[in-house]
């Protein structure tokens, strides 16, 4: 008998429910880097990727308002009539900031990763990825049809061995810059060295590093030149506080993506007013170190407060992502729910987003948090973990 697709889906859902791994859309009436309002309750938000609080920065809002008359929709894809001068100005400013030849916009980071890997890699190529890379990089492998080999987290020697097995194949090494569920930074210099030595191409997805790390917020790979890291992808929905993504590199790379990246070509360009707001967010990221310093002071405050805590060991991270590893799905969910009752939103991250047995509270910090917010979180964590 022919299997019924919706019946199979219902059974998959039931399994996930039993594993305490069901997720849901929570509806908010207010969302900012510091607070969310959910069911009429105001919670301190420790689950946002708005690391600098730019989504509500007065200058970013003003830029969006001023540009809104350019249209709330682009009306077409970039290659038809959707590419506004705000998009062009943003591409040029992103490339200039990253000291690259050129940049191209994508509607989301997910789509940027699909577009890059589908453009560069084909069936006969080798695609090497850190085992903890973001889902969008993994999905891109399937779309490109290339042979995906995953190396152990941070293990450059494992990567070398995998590369050596196929020295005659074209190879792309793709890694998160800052790992999204762990907060640690990839060994970018070793990756660049190995790529050069092996004739492979290095791609970094620095969704969580840009805006947060490096001079002018250039990210986890600020010390790598265009030659060292020829494909650099960044997202604009995190520290930038807006939406979307870019890829930056040589003229040849960007021209190639413009011609061949299907997720850039066959989709509507983002709204022009969004590009104008993002350009202002970039000016703040480049020019204003104060927000970044505040974020790093907040990170240090949390780490110091939990240093030596019996039940709350933060994973080793110096970025805005400060996960607390608990392991068990049900316990992680229970602690997250207790925090919610106490007025804090801290996401419980469970498999399949992270490996089995490594469920965690993913605490994220923002420059928008105040000293008393972090103190209150630490006190609430104490209670929630003891209960
Ligand atoms: C968030 C994220 C993406 C996806 O970016 P979106 O713009 O949200 O689609 C890609 N890669 C990494 C590492 C991410 O953390």
């Amino acid at each position: 008998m022919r299997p019924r697709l919706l019946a199979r889906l219902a059974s998959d859902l039931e399994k996930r429910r039993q594993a305490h791994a069901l997720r849901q859309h929570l509806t908010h009436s207010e969302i900012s880097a510091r607070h969310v309002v959910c069911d009429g309750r105001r919670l301190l938000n420790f689950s946002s990727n708005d690391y600098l609080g730019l989504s509500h920065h007065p200058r970013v809002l003003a830029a969006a308002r001023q540009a809104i008359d350019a249209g709330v929709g682009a009306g077409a894809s970039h290659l038809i009539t959707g590419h506004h001068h705000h998009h062009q100005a943003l591409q040029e400013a992103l490339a200039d900031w990253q000291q690259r030849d050129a940049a191209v916009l994508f509607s989301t980071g997910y789509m940027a990763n699909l577009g890059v890997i589908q453009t560069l890699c084909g069936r006969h190529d080798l695609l090497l990825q850190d085992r903890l890379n973001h889902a969008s990089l993994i999905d891109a492998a399937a779309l490109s049809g290339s042979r995906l080999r995953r190396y152990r987290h941070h293990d450059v020697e494992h990567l070398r061995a995998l590369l050596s097995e196929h020295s005659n194949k074209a190879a792309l090494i793709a890694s998160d810059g800052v790992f999204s569920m762990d907060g640690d930074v990839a060994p970018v210099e070793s990756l660049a060295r190995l790529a050069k030595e092996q004739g492979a191409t290095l791609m970094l997805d620095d969704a969580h590093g840009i805006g947060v790390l490096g001079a002018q917020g250039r990210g986890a790979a600020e010390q790598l030149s265009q030659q060292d890291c020829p494909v650099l992808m960044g997202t604009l929905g995190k520290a930038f506080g807006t939406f979307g993504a870019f890829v930056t590199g040589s003229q040849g790379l960007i021209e190639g993506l413009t011609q061949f990246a299907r997720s850039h070509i066959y989709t509507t360009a983002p709204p022009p007013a969004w590009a104008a707001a993002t350009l202002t967010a970039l000016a703040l990221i480049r020019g204003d170190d104060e927000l970044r310093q505040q974020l790093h002071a907040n990170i240090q405050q949390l780490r110091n407060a939990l240093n030596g805590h019996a039940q709350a060991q933060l994973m080793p991270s110096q970025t805005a992502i400060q996960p607390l590893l608990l392991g068990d799905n049900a316990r992680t969910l229970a602690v997250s729910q207790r925090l919610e009752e106490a007025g804090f939103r801290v996401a419980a991250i469970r498999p399949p987003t992270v490996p089995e047995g490594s469920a965690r509270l993913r605490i994220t910090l923002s420059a928008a948090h105040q000293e008393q917010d972090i103190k209150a979180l630490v006190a609430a964590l104490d209670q929630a973990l003891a209960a």
Side-chain angles (χ1 to χ4, degrees):
M1 201 179 81
R2 192 193 301 286
R4 295 292 193 262
L5 293 174
L6 292 177
R8 186 168 70 197
L9 178 64
S11 127
D12 290 346
L13 274 173
E14 188 47 36
K15 274 185 225 140
R16 191 165 276 199
R17 192 185 329 274
Q18 297 197 353
H20 303 281
L22 269 193
R23 301 108 178 262
Q24 54 179 325
H25 287 148
L26 299 168
T27 304
H28 301 94
S29 55
E30 204 184 300
I31 302 172
S32 75
R34 187 173 174 221
H35 287 115
V36 289
V37 178
C38 192
D39 290 333
R41 287 186 67 225
R42 165 168 286 224
L43 306 169
L44 277 168
N45 186 6
F46 286 98
S47 287
S48 171
N49 301 319
D50 185 2
Y51 302 130
L52 300 174
L54 293 182
S55 72
H56 289 65
H57 192 288
R59 280 183 53 196
V60 180
L61 296 179
R65 273 190 207 105
Q66 208 190 345
I68 205 72
D69 290 338
V72 290
S77 64
H78 282 281
L79 292 174
I80 305 296
T81 59
H83 193 69
H84 193 275
H85 69 74
H86 290 315
H87 295 118
Q88 187 60 30
L90 177 57
Q91 288 184 168
E92 288 170 14
L94 287 164
D96 181 62
W97 171 54
Q98 289 292 345
Q99 303 172 355
R100 286 345 196 225
D101 294 349
V104 62
L105 295 171
F106 286 82
S107 294
T108 69
Y110 190 102
M111 291 164 74
N113 284 341
L114 296 186
V116 168
I117 291 182
Q118 166 256 320
T119 296
L120 289 178
C121 297
R123 259 180 335 121
H124 302 292
D125 303 330
L126 193 56
L127 174 56
L128 298 134
Q129 298 202 23
D130 188 290
R131 200 178 281 280
L132 296 188
N133 271 357
H134 190 263
S136 54
L137 287 166
I138 306 294
D139 294 358
L143 183 66
S144 74
S146 55
R147 176 122 194 256
L148 174 64
R149 304 297 307 269
R150 297 167 84 177
Y151 57 92
R152 286 186 295 269
H153 187 46
H154 286 318
D155 191 339
V156 177
E157 286 315 308
H158 188 206
L159 171 58
R160 181 194 304 279
L162 293 173
L163 274 164
S164 307
E165 281 175 27
H166 300 279
S167 56
N168 57 345
K169 282 188 189 289
L172 180 72
I173 301 169
S175 174
D176 285 18
V178 171
F179 287 87
S180 54
M181 296 300 138
D182 297 68
D184 54 345
V185 178
V188 295
E189 306 213 35
S190 310
L191 291 175
R193 221 174 301 121
L194 182 62
K196 188 171 173 199
E197 179 192 305
Q198 295 273 336
T201 301
L202 176 62
M203 169 187 189
L204 288 176
D205 166 351
D206 203 18
H208 297 276
I210 62 165
V212 170
L213 301 174
Q216 299 187 345
R218 277 205 299 271
E222 63 146 346
Q223 70 275 35
L224 299 188
S225 67
Q226 176 170 299
Q227 260 202 332
D228 296 332
C229 175
V231 187
L232 179 61
M233 176 278 203
T235 63
L236 303 167
K238 288 162 183 159
F240 272 76
T242 66
F243 190 70
F246 66 94
V247 177
T248 187
S250 66
Q251 288 292 356
L253 172 74
I254 301 310
E255 178 63 14
L257 292 173
T258 306
Q259 302 305 320
F260 299 118
R262 297 172 66 86
S263 60
H264 174 78
I265 300 166
Y266 297 107
T267 197
T268 301
W274 156 85
T278 306
L279 194 56
T280 297
L282 173 56
L284 288 162
I285 284 177
R286 282 187 88 159
D288 183 356
D289 235 6
E290 249 171 66
L291 288 171
R292 223 168 354 263
Q293 281 167 9
Q294 183 61 56
L295 169 62
H296 287 281
N298 291 349
I299 294 167
Q300 218 43 59
Q301 187 194 339
L302 179 74
R303 292 197 68 85
N304 291 344
L306 292 177
N307 187 20
H309 193 287
Q311 286 171 297
Q313 280 108 19
L314 290 173
M315 292 170 65
S317 157
Q318 295 301 322
T319 66
I321 303 166
Q322 292 290 326
L324 202 71
L325 188 68
L326 294 175
D328 179 70
N329 289 354
R331 171 159 161 80
T332 306
L333 195 58
V335 173
S336 166
Q337 278 165 355
R338 278 179 220 128
L339 288 171
E340 178 102 7
E341 284 154 24
F344 301 85
R345 169 63 55 70
V346 183
I349 305 289
R350 290 155 285 166
T353 306
V354 292
E356 283 298 332
S358 75
R360 65 200 66 179
L361 293 174
R362 180 174 178 272
I363 303 170
T364 56
L365 294 170
S366 170
H369 289 128
Q370 302 194 353
E371 195 175 339
Q372 77 242 30
D373 302 343
I374 297 168
K375 267 195 189 143
L377 172 68
V378 169
L381 265 173
D382 258 338
Q383 297 235 317
L385 288 164

